């Protein structure tokens, strides 16, 4: 009885290990050094335009971490996932961008930039800032993933960049809105005048 | 002025389905007699026959939902669809909020302010609409409002700042006053015995617009993104042309197909001398000095106001708390508003059923129980953290909150006969004030998370429903107190001065008083000395 219970507990434990264990950000070592650089159409310090400008991101295994730690530190490193993350100033009063130590619930880094294979020499990527990026202050974070897809380490840029969003407006939309509004008010006035005239005509004929 | 003897066709036997004489019921107080004709020969001023059986005022005596016969059923359908489209337009932004907040850089405070703005405008417009309907008729009132607010909807695609967003939602929200024109119109077209069902159904189906929009807008957004290939920040703007165009189309239909009264439009009838008006000051005075007006304005703020608040926050709540995508969050959020298909009418029907046995005391208990249970379920909703149970709780909560709205308008028509229009408008406005207050306290700042806000809103519902206990009718009693020796006639005649009574202006109210004896419930002894034959004894 006791043995089967123990056996059952073991099976359960084994199964649970396949479930994504909660990863806490505070437990991740910062072993990557990440840098980013804006390639603007129009030069501007720290400012990038969504849809037009590009972001060049370079990441490499941190030299000091490499020396200090035992060899084989990066044995479990499989992939590097690059993400665009909101800076704290853009998270204020916006609960849908809130930071949470539990990475499952964390909403800081919602925009995925690229995923690359891990190499100890590091890599870089050029990313065109997509048009659905909201206007905010950002930094870039690189999560190192193991073969299970769980985060095991990270690195992030030290400087912040501001991204200017597209407005989403177009001249054609503006014109259409004006035309429809004019039609709405115009047809109302037309009908009211029409009924007024008809009314006067019928009372005039009485 | 000769009183119209069969004005109400009541026989005071507590018929079921006097599901209360309508909401705005602004039937002209001293209606001059339409020819008393038999059913078969009823014709309007132009000599055309009516498709439905009508009473002596040419108001329909039945509701045939599948028919669009002019003028009664056509009015019914025009009216509820117009109201539904206005609800659609007012709540078109919330289901797309996750996209809009990113495009405009909104904070929680901005979103909260916009939500408040969307329902605040209607506080004033609902109060004014009753008077406008009186002056120019519900057809013009409804159509003019819809077509004047349509440009505001077309301004939404042009918005680029939080302030612009708040302002546009404010101006769009004015069109919610079509509630008043809808109910007013129903009361002009349908006999008092069935006007309650007509009103409750029209109001419920109109409120469904708040649910339908949560389904339609994400769908339209998706189609525009996929098939036209627009960017997210452009697609939502294009999507707003849908409510705008619908509203203009509906306004035109109301203008061309609608008719104010069974016999014709106001302008024609005024020329024929068929329509007369009451004194605004007197009507206003009797509304403002009746304490029940304020109690029901408050309680309606915590059933209808809560419904408006939830319409504003629920899609974003499911999107954020349960990590769903826009379409799924929209589908779930829509079920809240769609429950109105039957829950609001059922609330009114329940009120009737309970009144047949226990009279007005039953109606008050019915309202208090339904609304309090709704409050408890709201608390539970805020505390529920799993998706499946949250949806289930939300559905049951929606039933109770909407049934409470229907049940409220089961009581309103009895508060006053003379000032019914203004009291109904004030109750409606109270609903919007409740929405403004609730959103302001609980859903504005980051002080409370949305789930905490929902839970606290539930507590406030329970607290603000308690005043129903204090509503007392001398002739019928209240929840805990039995009636006094006063009669219905005493209560309703108190709204007319001696001078007005000597002119015979109070006869319509007396007819109503006679019919309202059904609110005593079953087996209550006659109270006035003059009554010989027992009025109910059913």
């Amino acid at each position: 009885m006791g043995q089967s219970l123990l056996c059952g507990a073991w099976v359960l434990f084994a199964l649970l290990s396949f479930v994504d264990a909660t990863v806490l950000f505070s437990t991740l070592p910062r072993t990557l050094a990440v840098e980013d650089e804006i390639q603007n159409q129009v030069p501007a310090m720290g400012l990038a335009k969504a849809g037009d400008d590009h972001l060049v991101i370079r990441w490499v295994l941190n030299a000091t971490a490499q020396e200090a730690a035992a060899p084989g530190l990066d044995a479990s490193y499989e992939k590097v996932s690059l993400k665009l993350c909101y800076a704290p100033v853009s998270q204020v009063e916006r609960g849908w961008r809130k930071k949470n130590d539990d990475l499952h619930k964390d909403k800081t880094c919602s925009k995925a930039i690229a995923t690359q294979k891990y190499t100890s020499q590091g890599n870089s990527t050029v990313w065109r800032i997509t048009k659905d990026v909201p206007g905010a202050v950002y930094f870039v974070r690189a999560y190192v993933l193991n073969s299970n897809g769980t985060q095991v380490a990270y690195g992030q840029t030290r400087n912040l960049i501001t991204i200017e969003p597209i407005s989403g407006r177009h001249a054609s939309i503006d014109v259409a809105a004006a035309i429809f509004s004019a039609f709405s008010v115009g047809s109302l006035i037309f009908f009211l005048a029409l009924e007024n005239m008809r009314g006067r005509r019928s009372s005039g004929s009485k | 002025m000769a009183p119209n003897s069969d004005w109400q066709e009541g026989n005071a036997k507590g018929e079921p389905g006097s599901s209360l004489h309508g909401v705005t019921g602004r039937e002209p107080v001293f209606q001059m007699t339409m020819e008393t004709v038999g059913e078969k020969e009823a014709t309007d001023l132009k000599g055309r026959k009516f498709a439905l059986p009508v009473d002596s005022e040419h108001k329909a005596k039945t509701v045939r939902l599948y028919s669009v016969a002019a003028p009664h059923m056509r009015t019914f359908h025009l009216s509820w669809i117009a109201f539904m489209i206005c609800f659609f337009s007012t709540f078109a932004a919330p289901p797309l909020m996750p996209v809009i907040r990113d495009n405009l850089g909104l904070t929680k405070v901005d979103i909260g302010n916009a939500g408040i703005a969307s329902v605040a405008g209607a506080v004033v417009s609902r109060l004014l609409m009753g008077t406008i309907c009186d002056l120019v008729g519900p057809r013009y009132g409804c159509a003019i409002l819809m077509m004047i607010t349509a440009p505001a909807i077309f301004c939404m695609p042009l918005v680029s700042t939080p302030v612009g967003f708040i302002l546009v939602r404010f101006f769009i929200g004015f069109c919610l006053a079509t509630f008043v024109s809808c109910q007013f119109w129903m009361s002009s077209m349908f006999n008092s015995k069935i006007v309650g069902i007509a009103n409750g159904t029209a109001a419920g189906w109109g409120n469904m617009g708040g649910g339908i929009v949560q389904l339609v807008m994400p769908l339209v957004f998706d189609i525009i993104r996929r098939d036209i290939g627009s960017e997210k920040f452009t697609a939502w703007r294009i999507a707003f042309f849908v409510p705008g165009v619908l509203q203009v189309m509906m306004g035109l239909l109301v203008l061309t197909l609608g008719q104010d009264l069974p016999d014709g439009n106001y302008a024609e009838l005024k020329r024929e001398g068929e329509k007369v008006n009451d004194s605004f000051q007197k009507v206003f005075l009797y509304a403002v000095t009746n304490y029940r007006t304020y109690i029901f304005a408050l309680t309606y703020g915590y059933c209808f106001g809560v419904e408006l608040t939830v319409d504003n926050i629920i899609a974003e709540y499911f999107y954020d708390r349960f990590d769903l995508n826009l379409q799924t969050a929209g589908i779930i959020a829509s079920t809240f508003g769609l429950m109105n298909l039957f829950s609001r009418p059922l609330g009114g029907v329940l009120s009737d059923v309970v009144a047949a046995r226990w009279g007005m005391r039953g109606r008050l208990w019915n309202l208090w129980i339904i609304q309090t249970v709704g409050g408890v379920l709201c608390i539970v909703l805020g505390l529920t953290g799993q998706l499946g149970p949250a949806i289930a709780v939300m559905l049951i909560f929606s039933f109770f909150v909407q049934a409470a709205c229907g049940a409220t308008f089961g009581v309103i028509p009895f508060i006053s006969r003379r000032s019914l229009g203004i009291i109904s408008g004030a109750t409606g406005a109270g609903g919007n004030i409740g929405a403004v207050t609730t959103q302001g306290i609980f859903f504005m700042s980051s002080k409370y998370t949305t789930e905490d806000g929902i839970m606290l809103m539930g507590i406030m519902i329970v607290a603000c429903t308690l005043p129903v206990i204090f509503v007392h009718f001398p002739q019928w009693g209240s929840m805990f107190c039995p009636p006094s020796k006063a009669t219905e006639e005493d209560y309703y005649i108190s709204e007319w001065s001696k001078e007005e009574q000597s002119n015979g202006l109070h006869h319509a109210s007396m007819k109503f008083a006679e019919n309202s004896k059904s609110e005593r419930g079953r087996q209550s002894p006659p109270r006035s000395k003059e009554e010989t034959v027992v009025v109910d004894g059913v």
Side-chain angles (χ1 to χ4, degrees):
Chain A
M1 169 62 187
Q3 271 195 336
S4 59
L5 207 61
L6 203 62
C7 191
W10 250 111
V11 171
L12 194 64
F13 223 111
L15 283 173
L16 279 175
S17 66
F18 284 115
V19 173
D20 254 352
T22 311
V23 182
L24 296 180
F25 182 68
S26 45
T27 61
L28 296 182
R30 188 171 177 170
T31 53
L32 288 190
V34 186
E35 260 175 35
D36 63 6
E37 187 198 319
I38 305 173
Q39 285 179 345
N40 321 65
Q41 304 274 32
V42 178
M45 270 306 290
L47 201 64
K49 275 212 173 109
D52 287 337
D53 298 339
H54 292 79
L55 219 56
V56 181
I57 302 158
R58 280 179 223 99
W59 58 270
V60 72
L61 189 64
N62 200 335
T64 48
Q66 202 165 26
E67 288 166 17
L73 166 74
D74 51 358
S76 58
Y77 293 9
E78 281 277 326
K79 291 212 257 303
V80 173
S81 159
L82 297 167
K83 291 202 161 157
L84 194 65
C85 306
Y86 294 107
V89 64
S90 289
Q91 291 174 304
V92 169
E93 281 286 320
R94 291 182 175 95
W96 55 92
R97 295 179 186 169
K98 204 158 151 222
K99 187 171 74 164
N100 193 317
D101 205 28
D102 179 353
L103 282 176
H104 277 280
K105 300 193 183 146
D106 182 45
K107 301 215 165 123
T108 318
C109 302
S110 51
K111 187 85 189 125
I113 298 175
T115 307
Q116 297 178 312
K117 221 164 132 43
Y118 173 81
T119 64
S120 50
Q121 292 89 2
N123 208 336
S124 72
T125 183
V126 180
W127 180 64
R128 186 183 193 159
I129 303 174
T130 52
K131 288 187 179 173
D132 61 354
V133 172
V137 182
Y138 297 91
F139 60 94
V140 177
R141 182 180 287 167
Y143 284 115
V144 184
L145 308 172
N146 65 8
S147 46
N148 281 343
T150 354
Q151 299 90 339
V152 289
Y154 80 102
Q156 65 191 40
T157 56
R158 290 183 200 282
N159 57 316
L160 299 173
I161 47 173
T162 309
I163 296 185
E164 237 176 67
I166 61 165
S167 75
R169 289 178 59 179
H170 284 281
S172 50
I173 299 182
D174 294 354
V175 170
I179 294 178
F180 279 100
S181 303
F183 175 72
S184 176
V185 178
S187 51
L188 176 70
I189 296 177
F190 172 74
F191 272 102
L192 291 180
L194 197 68
E195 295 202 357
N196 206 11
M197 273 196 326
R198 273 208 210 125
R200 245 186 270 142
R201 218 181 301 138
S202 65
S203 62
S205 64
K206 282 210 161 95
Chain B
M1 205 169 300
N4 182 347
S5 58
D6 38 309
W7 180 78
Q8 278 255 6
E9 264 195 9
N11 62 14
K13 275 230 163 205
E15 309 272 5
S18 9
S19 150
L20 318 94
H21 324 263
V23 185
T24 313
R26 199 62 184 100
E27 296 127 58
V29 177
F30 345 102
Q31 178 84 41
M32 289 213 218
T33 316
M34 302 290 173
E35 338 82 84
T36 317
V37 287
E39 263 186 41
K40 300 254 171 19
E41 301 150 42
T43 55
D44 65 10
L45 281 184
K46 295 208 180 96
R48 295 175 296 210
K49 271 186 68 175
F50 290 113
L52 269 65
V54 295
D55 63 14
S56 59
E57 278 183 297
H58 293 178
K59 294 186 183 179
K61 297 206 286 195
T62 62
V63 182
R64 280 189 207 144
L65 293 176
Y66 49 81
S67 150
V68 282
H72 308 98
M73 288 319 300
R74 192 176 289 184
T75 296
F76 178 83
H77 291 295
L78 278 175
S79 193
W80 80 259
I81 295 178
F83 181 41
M84 189 206 74
I85 298 216
C86 289
F87 239 94
F88 189 100
S89 308
T90 307
F91 295 103
L96 298 179
M97 201 57 84
V99 178
I100 301 177
R101 69 190 179 193
D102 275 346
N103 191 182
L104 305 178
L106 304 176
T107 62
K108 186 163 182 184
V109 175
D110 294 327
I111 297 176
N113 276 327
I116 290 177
S118 67
V119 292
V123 170
V124 174
S125 62
R126 281 184 172 205
L127 287 171
L128 289 176
M129 189 55 127
T131 314
I132 293 177
C133 285
D134 254 341
L135 295 174
V136 298
R139 182 178 68 112
Y140 274 178
C142 179
I144 291 175
L145 183 62
M146 288 180 84
M147 295 179 78
I148 297 274
T149 45
I153 304 174
F154 292 120
C155 280
M156 187 62 101
L158 312 179
V159 155
S160 50
T161 59
V163 173
F165 183 64
I166 294 171
L167 276 175
V168 170
R169 283 207 76 189
F170 175 70
F171 286 114
I172 298 178
F174 276 79
C175 67
L176 282 183
T178 40
F179 167 72
V180 178
S181 68
C182 172
Q183 307 278 278
F184 188 109
W185 218 349
M186 297 287 104
S187 312
S188 312
M189 287 284 175
F190 292 94
N191 178 274
S192 50
K193 287 204 181 49
I194 52 154
V195 77
I197 296 258
N199 270 326
T201 312
W205 289 2
N207 285 12
M208 267 203 311
I212 294 174
V213 73
Q214 316 260 10
L215 269 176
V216 171
M217 288 302 271
L219 210 67
V220 169
F221 172 77
D222 209 34
I223 292 174
I224 295 174
R225 273 191 73 203
R226 259 183 311 126
D227 299 333
I228 305 185
S230 303
E231 287 298 328
K232 267 165 65 172
F233 291 174
T234 304
W236 78 265
R237 294 170 186 275
I238 301 178
F240 259 87
F241 279 87
V242 170
V245 168
L246 283 175
Q247 192 153 313
V248 175
M249 272 173 27
M250 206 55 215
L252 287 174
L253 281 176
V254 164
L255 262 182
T256 50
L257 298 178
Q259 190 177 302
D260 290 309
L261 291 165
D263 289 309
N265 287 318
Y266 267 34
E268 299 160 27
L269 297 176
K270 276 196 183 138
R271 278 195 297 274
E272 313 281 332
E274 297 285 353
K275 221 190 138 317
V276 196
N277 291 319
D278 193 358
S279 142
F280 176 71
Q281 277 128 325
K282 280 294 175 73
V283 169
F284 184 73
L285 177 74
Y286 289 115
V288 166
T289 51
N290 193 330
Y291 74 93
R292 302 171 193 83
T293 308
Y294 301 97
I295 293 185
F296 283 109
L298 173 67
T299 61
Y300 197 60
Y302 283 90
C303 57
F304 184 62
V306 164
E307 187 182 336
L308 291 179
T309 302
V310 174
D311 277 339
N312 260 331
I313 61 150
I314 196 74
E316 221 184 332
Y317 175 69
F318 276 99
Y319 181 91
D320 288 332
R321 190 172 188 192
F322 300 102
D323 283 320
L324 306 169
N325 69 14
L326 211 64
Q327 282 72 34
T328 314
I331 293 173
I332 297 175
S334 70
T335 54
F336 177 84
L338 289 172
M339 290 285 285
N340 262 305
L341 179 67
F342 52 85
S343 47
R344 184 166 176 149
L346 266 180
V349 167
L350 264 173
S351 188
D352 276 344
V353 163
V354 163
R357 173 71 179 80
W358 290 291
M360 176 56 71
R361 295 180 79 181
R363 287 192 200 277
L364 294 170
W365 271 103
N366 174 58
L367 172 60
W368 182 79
I369 291 174
I370 292 181
Q371 196 158 317
T372 305
V373 171
V376 169
L377 285 166
C378 189
I379 298 174
V380 173
L381 178 64
L383 298 171
T384 310
Q386 285 81 39
L387 181 60
I391 298 177
V393 172
M394 184 198 70
L395 286 173
I396 309 176
F397 162 61
S398 74
F399 174 81
F400 280 93
V401 118
Q402 290 153 9
C405 295
T408 306
F409 276 94
V411 177
I412 300 282
F414 294 98
I415 298 178
S416 158
R417 188 61 198 86
R418 190 172 187 182
S419 309
L420 179 52
I422 294 204
I423 292 183
S424 309
T427 308
N432 281 62
I433 295 178
V436 167
T437 318
T438 313
Q439 284 176 93
I441 301 177
F442 299 125
F443 297 104
M444 269 275 276
S445 63
S446 299
K447 189 162 152 213
Y448 304 114
T449 59
T450 310
E451 50 262 33
D452 281 345
I454 293 177
M455 187 203 69
L456 292 169
M457 181 168 72
I459 297 178
M460 195 146 185
I461 296 174
V462 175
C464 291
T465 310
L466 288 174
V468 173
I469 295 176
F470 301 113
V471 174
H472 180 83
F473 289 92
Q475 68 276 31
W476 298 316
S478 64
M479 275 170 70
F480 291 111
C481 304
S484 66
K485 292 224 189 320
T487 64
E488 288 80 0
E489 281 84 3
D490 297 334
Y491 181 78
Y492 289 111
I493 212 167
S494 62
E495 296 180 329
W496 300 93
S497 68
K498 286 274 173 275
E499 196 188 308
E500 288 163 335
Q501 287 178 40
S502 62
N503 283 335
L505 302 180
H506 64 298
H507 286 285
S509 286
M510 291 301 98
K511 273 283 170 195
F512 181 76
E514 180 69 21
N515 287 334
S516 70
K517 289 200 198 313
S518 56
E519 293 309 302
R520 293 192 189 174
R522 232 185 293 163
Q523 292 148 24
S524 30
R527 242 169 287 125
S528 76
K529 302 183 213 78
E530 298 87 35
E531 286 173 23
T532 47
V533 179
V534 64
V535 164
D536 12 271
V538 272

